[in-house]
């Protein structure tokens, strides 16, 4: 993937002053003459920044501006350990809204739309990002926040919301509630903007069908502004990430080497315009693939395949590396299997056993052949024997936030 001349100039500008501005990078790049970094090849020699580095800078060690220029902080929703605090300047907040508004535009959303926002508001970057983008676009924001599904339905009907912003799990829950209450004819939804969770094809089709809407995946992470740094375009094939704000690389997560264009690997992002906490070669742990060539939509921004997983979501069973995306693909190829699933990995009698629970609308006496089919597909694709267990629709937990899919009980 070629660095553009604009990106090269922005990077040289960033590197020239970063040590003066950021104590964090002064320490990280001690001994490196950053003014000698001139080419893409030079840049690729710089060390990565990882989430653990950011944790060590808690609370405000990442700040690259004087304190009076910081207008807001956000914190990443780390499940364990010290949180990461990201400071934002007024320009950062404004740039983020601009990027998010661009996402809405790519999804064909306009100021005529009414955007019902169900991601949470607070320290993390979800709700407020959707909100600021809607306001920048000039659309009507309806800041619901998560939960209270009865009220969500009431507002979908009474406010005639045209866009639903949600995690994929919550969008599914709302879609099921709309069906259950027979509200289809009373709602006006036309688009769904789904964020902060990787999700499978079958689940996407179910939500799109049940809600009767076109779906868009929004991408982002708190460390790099938040959601809104990229979205899939109306050609639906892959997501664009904004080249004027992010310089992207795809690396082999094990070796740190750049992979050839088009090969899967871990996305690494450098911020080109961020003031409060610029990040250089930040490892996202999101696995994707650069899609070479121009997009039929005409966008100049580079394309990446929908996320296939996180490098830390991978589990190894019988020597096979397994990502949630593998299970989702297998389920979507199994006739009669629905999108919801849960994987349990246990160690019994000296052997690893992987059980895949999945939902089906087939009645209890008719599930055996679906289980056999899933078993066969996983065996053929991954050369791995699993225990497939069908359960009824609604038996597996739904979540308003992220749904944990894989439970590794071996350790
Ligand atoms: Zn496109």
């Amino acid at each position: 993937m070629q660095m553009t001349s604009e990106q090269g100039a922005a990077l040289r500008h960033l590197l020239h002053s970063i040590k003066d501005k950021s104590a964090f990078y002064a320490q990280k790049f001690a001994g490196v003459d950053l003014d000698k970094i001139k080419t893409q090849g030079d840049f690729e020699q710089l060390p990565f920044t990882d989430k653990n580095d950011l944790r060590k800078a808690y609370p405000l060690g990442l700040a690259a501006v004087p304190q009076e220029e910081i207008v807001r902080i956000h914190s990443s929703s780390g499940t364990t350990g010290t949180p990461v605090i990201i400071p934002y300047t007024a320009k950062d907040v404004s740039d983020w809204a601009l990027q998010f508004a661009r996402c809405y535009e790519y999804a064909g959303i306009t100021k005529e739309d009414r955007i019902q926002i169900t991601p949470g508001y607070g320290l993390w970057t979800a709700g407020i990002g959707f909100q600021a983008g809607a306001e920048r676009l000039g659309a009507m924001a309806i800041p619901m926040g998560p939960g209270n599904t009865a009220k969500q339905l009431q507002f979908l009907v009474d406010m005639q919301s045209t866009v639903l912003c949600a995690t994929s799990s919550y969008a599914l829950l709302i879609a099921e509630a709309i069906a259950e209450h027979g509200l289809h004819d009373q709602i006006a939804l036309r688009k769904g903007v789904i964020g902060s969770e990787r999700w499978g094809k079958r689940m996407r089709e179910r939500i799109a069908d049940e809600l009767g809407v076109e779906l868009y995946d929004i991408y982002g992470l708190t460390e790099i502004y938040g959601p809104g740094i990229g979205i899939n375009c109306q050609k639906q094939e892959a997501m664009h990430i904004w080249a004027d704000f992010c310089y992207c690389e795809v690396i082999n997560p094990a070796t740190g080497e750049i992979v050839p264009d088009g090969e899967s690997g871990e996305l690494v992002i450098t911020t080109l315009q961020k003031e409060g906490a610029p990040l250089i070669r930040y490892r996202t742990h999101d696995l994707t693939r650069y899609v070479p060539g121009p997009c039929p939509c005409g966008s100049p921004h580079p394309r990446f395949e929908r996320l296939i997983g996180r490098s830390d979501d991978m589990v190894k069973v019988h020597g096979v590396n397994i990502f949630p995306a593998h299970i989702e693909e297998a389920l979507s190829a199994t006739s009669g299997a629905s999108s919801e699933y849960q994987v349990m990995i246990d160690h019994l009698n000296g052997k690893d056993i992987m059980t895949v629970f999945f939902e089906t609308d087939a009645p209890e006496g008719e599930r055996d052949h679906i289980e056999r089919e899933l078993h066969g597909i996983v065996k053929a694709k991954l050369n791995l024997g699993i225990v497939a267990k069908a359960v009824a629709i609604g038996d597996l937990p739904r979540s308003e936030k992220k749904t944990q899919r894989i439970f590794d009980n071996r350790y």
Side-chain angles (χ1 to χ4, degrees), residues 14 35 65 77 105-106 114 121 126 203 218 230 238 240 272 279 303 307 309 322 346 351-352 355 357 387 393:
L14 171 69
D35 283 329
V65 293
S77 55
E105 282 169 352
Y106 264 55
R114 300 173 174 199
Y121 289 73
M203 185 164 183
I218 200 125
H240 293 281
L272 296 175
L279 289 179
R303 277 182 302 171
L307 304 186
I322 297 164
D346 298 284
K351 250 180 86 179
D352 287 343
T355 310
F357 295 90
V387 180
I393 301 277

Side-chain angles (χ1 to χ4, degrees), residues 9 37 68 75 103 112 115 125 244-245 266 277 316 321 336 387:
I37 307 287
E68 66 268 22
S75 173
C103 288
E112 306 290 328
I115 305 181
T125 47
D244 44 349
F245 290 95
E266 178 183 335
K316 206 165 183 168
N321 292 336
V387 180

Side-chain angles (χ1 to χ4, degrees), residues 233 240 295 297:
C233 64
H240 293 281
C295 182
C297 79

Side-chain angles (χ1 to χ4, degrees), residues 315-322 352 382 384 410:
V315 287
K316 206 165 183 168
V317 182
H318 296 299
V320 183
N321 292 336
I322 297 164
D352 287 343
L382 300 174
L384 180 72
R410 288 174 296 183

Side-chain angles (χ1 to χ4, degrees), residues 154-176:
Q154 183 197 336
F155 272 61
L156 283 173
V157 172
D158 293 346
M159 293 305 300
Q160 291 289 287
S161 311
T162 55
V163 177
L164 177 70
C165 300
T167 61
S168 55
S169 318
Y170 199 47
L172 179 62
L173 198 144
I174 287 182
E176 289 175 340

Side-chain angles (χ1 to χ4, degrees), residues 359-387:
E359 294 187 353
T360 176
D361 50 15
E364 213 153 325
E366 296 165 26
R367 292 176 185 168
D368 288 4
H369 71 277
I370 308 176
E371 291 172 347
R372 277 199 301 275
E373 188 179 344
L374 178 63
H375 179 274
I377 289 170
V378 175
K379 183 86 197 163
K381 281 197 170 169
L382 300 174
N383 192 26
L384 180 72
I386 60 158
V387 180

Side-chain angles (χ1 to χ4, degrees), residues 28-255:
K28 188 160 187 78
F29 293 147
V32 183
D33 184 354
L34 293 177
D35 283 329
K36 288 206 172 125
I37 307 287
K38 300 218 182 287
T39 66
Q40 181 169 352
D42 297 339
F43 183 73
E44 288 170 1
Q45 303 306 313
L46 288 176
F48 296 111
T49 305
D50 207 346
K51 194 156 184 168
N52 269 333
D53 302 331
L54 308 195
R55 285 205 182 95
K56 287 182 205 143
Y58 181 86
L60 278 173
L62 284 177
V65 293
Q67 195 252 279
E68 66 268 22
E69 287 180 36
I70 299 173
V71 301
R72 188 198 284 175
I73 61 134
H74 282 291
S75 173
S76 73
S77 55
T79 42
T80 52
T82 314
V84 168
I85 303 284
I86 304 289
Y88 293 64
T89 65
K91 178 180 186 297
D92 295 336
V93 167
S94 166
D95 283 351
W96 181 21
L98 184 152
Q99 294 175 75
F100 213 123
R102 198 189 279 172
C103 288
Y104 284 135
E105 282 169 352
Y106 264 55
I109 294 165
T110 72
K111 59 197 289 185
E112 306 290 328
D113 280 295
R114 300 173 174 199
I115 305 181
Q116 185 156 331
I117 299 165
T118 74
Y121 289 73
L123 267 178
W124 54 95
T125 47
I128 199 165
F130 284 91
Q131 166 101 16
E135 289 173 353
R136 173 66 72 101
L137 181 69
M140 184 198 293
I142 306 173
M144 305 293 294
N148 199 344
T149 304
K151 191 157 196 175
Q152 303 281 1
L153 296 185
Q154 183 197 336
F155 272 61
L156 283 173
V157 172
D158 293 346
M159 293 305 300
Q160 291 289 287
S161 311
T162 55
V163 177
L164 177 70
C165 300
T167 61
S168 55
S169 318
Y170 199 47
L172 179 62
L173 198 144
I174 287 182
E176 289 175 340
I178 289 170
E180 192 185 319
H181 292 88
L183 294 175
H184 261 296
D185 297 342
Q186 295 174 55
I187 62 168
L189 281 181
R190 62 185 197 96
K191 313 252 180 192
V193 179
I194 307 298
S196 77
E197 204 180 10
R198 194 192 41 73
W199 49 320
K201 185 164 163 258
R202 176 76 41 109
M203 185 164 183
R204 148 180 285 277
E205 286 166 0
R206 270 190 77 202
I207 297 171
D209 287 352
E210 299 215 11
L211 286 176
V213 300
E214 228 172 64
L215 292 177
Y216 292 85
D217 295 323
I218 200 125
Y219 179 64
L221 53 165
T222 296
E223 297 86 330
I224 317 274
Y225 296 102
I229 62 169
I231 193 166
N232 58 302
C233 64
Q234 297 190 31
K235 299 294 173 193
Q236 295 286 339
E237 286 170 4
M239 64 179 179
H240 293 281
I241 296 184
W242 313 130
D244 44 349
F245 290 95
C246 294
Y247 173 65
C248 294
E249 301 169 276
V250 180
I251 64 163
N252 176 330
T255 65

